[in-house]
Amino acid sequence: MPHILWSLVLTLHIAGMAVWVGGATYAVAILRPSLSLLDKAQRSAVHLLTLKRFLRVIWHIMPIVLITGWLMIVHEGGFAVIPWTTNAMQVLGLIMAGLFLRVFYGPYQKARRAIRPQPQTFDSIRSLMLGVVACGVLAILCASIGHGL
């Protein structure tokens, strides 16, 4: 592939990570505390609507980030020759994907189906999202460390 196409693959990868990690950070650090200003019914409704939109976006972003990452690994010579930082990013990305699936199929579905979602359900979503943020920050750190290798 010509150089410009690999630049586009990298752009998709970085933009996807920005949306994924940035969105999870927003959900944990900004949205949840701000919802405390609303009454319980409004809080649940806004939280569910926001989660629905965010998770729908991540359903598209997650495979793009993973596939573009693997494409770049193949482009660099394969899994056997990449630096440890790239392997660490791959593991962190897979953990993030697992955490996303856990949120989507676990507490999010429980909250979505409940007549009156319980605050503990949203707390478990927040805890899992904190894991996504932590893994994302570590992946960014690995990318930064690996840049000079």
Side-chain angles (χ1 to χ4, degrees):
M1 256 195 245
H3 180 70
I4 188 74
L5 290 179
W6 288 112
S7 296
L8 293 173
V9 168
L10 179 60
T11 300
L12 274 173
H13 188 76
I14 293 171
M17 280 300 290
V19 170
W20 196 352
V21 177
T25 302
Y26 173 82
V28 168
I30 298 168
L31 175 66
R32 184 70 197 275
S34 298
L35 292 176
S36 66
L37 300 172
L38 302 174
D39 69 50
K40 189 176 179 182
Q42 290 175 322
R43 184 179 322 141
S44 291
V46 171
H47 210 163
L48 279 173
L49 182 60
T50 305
L51 280 170
K52 176 183 176 184
R53 290 178 181 199
F54 175 66
L55 296 175
R56 187 181 310 141
V57 167
I58 299 308
W59 264 118
H60 295 87
I61 296 284
M62 178 183 55
I64 289 169
V65 168
L66 293 173
I67 290 168
T68 55
W70 291 325
L71 282 172
M72 290 184 289
I73 288 171
V74 170
H75 176 68
E76 294 298 319
F79 292 91
V81 299
I82 57 174
W84 70 268
T85 53
T86 304
N87 279 318
M89 282 188 284
Q90 180 181 193
V91 168
L92 290 164
L94 290 170
I95 292 170
M96 289 171 64
L99 289 171
F100 163 76
L101 292 172
R102 174 71 183 102
V103 167
F104 187 84
Y105 288 112
Y108 170 69
Q109 292 301 324
K110 183 178 179 180
R112 195 175 68 83
R113 291 184 178 128
I115 293 171
R116 291 191 184 106
Q118 297 302 309
Q120 309 87 277
T121 306
F122 291 113
D123 290 341
S124 64
I125 291 171
R126 184 172 190 263
S127 296
L128 292 165
M129 290 285 201
L130 273 170
V132 169
V133 171
C135 288
V137 169
L138 286 173
I140 292 166
L141 177 63
C142 287
S144 300
I145 292 170
H147 182 69
L149 297 179

